[in-house]
Amino acid sequence: MTAFLFNLLLAIGWVAVTGSVSLLNLIFGFLLAALALFIIHEPFGGKTYPRRVGPLLSLAALFLKELSLSAWKVTITVLSPDMKLKPGIFAFPLTVTSDFEITLLANLITLTPGTLSVDVSTDRRTLFVHALDCSDPEATRRNIANGFERKIMEAFR
């Protein structure tokens, strides 16, 4: 996020230096700043900022897709006359390790309708998740691991 803000600041600086305030010039400044940041890249050997953009956009697209699908499923469940629900809490074994990654995963799970992150174990290896329909917790675990968790690891490692 810091790199994005720095990129935006450099783009605004470009607009100020050139004296041409236009959307096209701002976009050009943004691309030029991204190239400059790519050349000097992060000092600690992490992924460079431009290389993270794709995985971050992929994570955002996955979140929007899951948000839409789960909202639809919750709507259908609530509007159905018999509402055959089996709510419950299940343990999700974490592959992500940093506090940031765990927090991001927990928030993405909580923001999708029908699921809620309840707690993280003290050893930070398990996330407890409440699901509106917990009839198949193994499938839900697989969906989280192959979806949000995998995309988080691609974007931040």
Side-chain angles (χ1 to χ4, degrees):
M1 189 61 160
T2 304
F4 174 76
L5 293 175
F6 191 60
N7 192 355
L8 191 57
L9 182 64
L10 287 172
I12 292 169
W14 172 261
V15 168
V17 167
T18 60
S20 172
V21 181
S22 69
L23 181 61
L24 189 60
N25 196 33
L26 181 65
I27 291 170
F28 179 72
F30 191 84
L31 293 174
L32 192 63
L35 178 65
L37 289 173
F38 176 75
I39 291 170
I40 62 172
H41 64 72
E42 296 176 38
F44 300 109
K47 281 187 174 181
T48 57
Y49 165 63
R51 289 185 186 155
R52 283 192 184 183
V53 172
L56 285 173
L57 290 175
S58 178
L59 176 62
L62 175 67
F63 172 69
L64 292 175
K65 175 187 153 210
E66 289 295 324
L67 180 67
S68 301
L69 289 174
S70 63
W72 178 253
K73 288 178 188 175
V74 169
T75 302
I76 295 300
T77 301
V78 170
L79 294 177
S80 67
D82 54 352
M83 267 204 315
K84 295 180 182 176
L85 294 177
K86 188 179 177 190
I89 295 177
F90 64 91
F92 177 75
L94 292 168
T95 305
V96 292
T97 54
S98 75
D99 289 339
F100 173 77
E101 293 171 337
I102 293 170
T103 302
L104 181 60
L105 178 63
N107 284 327
L108 289 174
I109 289 171
T110 296
L111 289 171
T112 30
T115 55
L116 175 71
S117 299
V118 178
D119 197 10
V120 178
S121 64
T122 54
D123 64 357
R124 297 175 31 204
R125 292 186 180 165
T126 306
L127 178 66
F128 297 98
V129 179
H130 178 274
L132 186 62
D133 186 12
C134 199
S135 56
D136 191 3
E138 193 56 43
T140 307
R141 280 187 201 98
R142 275 193 311 274
N143 287 342
I144 293 171
N146 295 330
F148 289 142
E149 192 174 43
R150 183 176 58 87
K151 294 289 185 183
I152 288 171
M153 288 189 301
E154 287 173 4
F156 296 102
R157 289 194 178 170

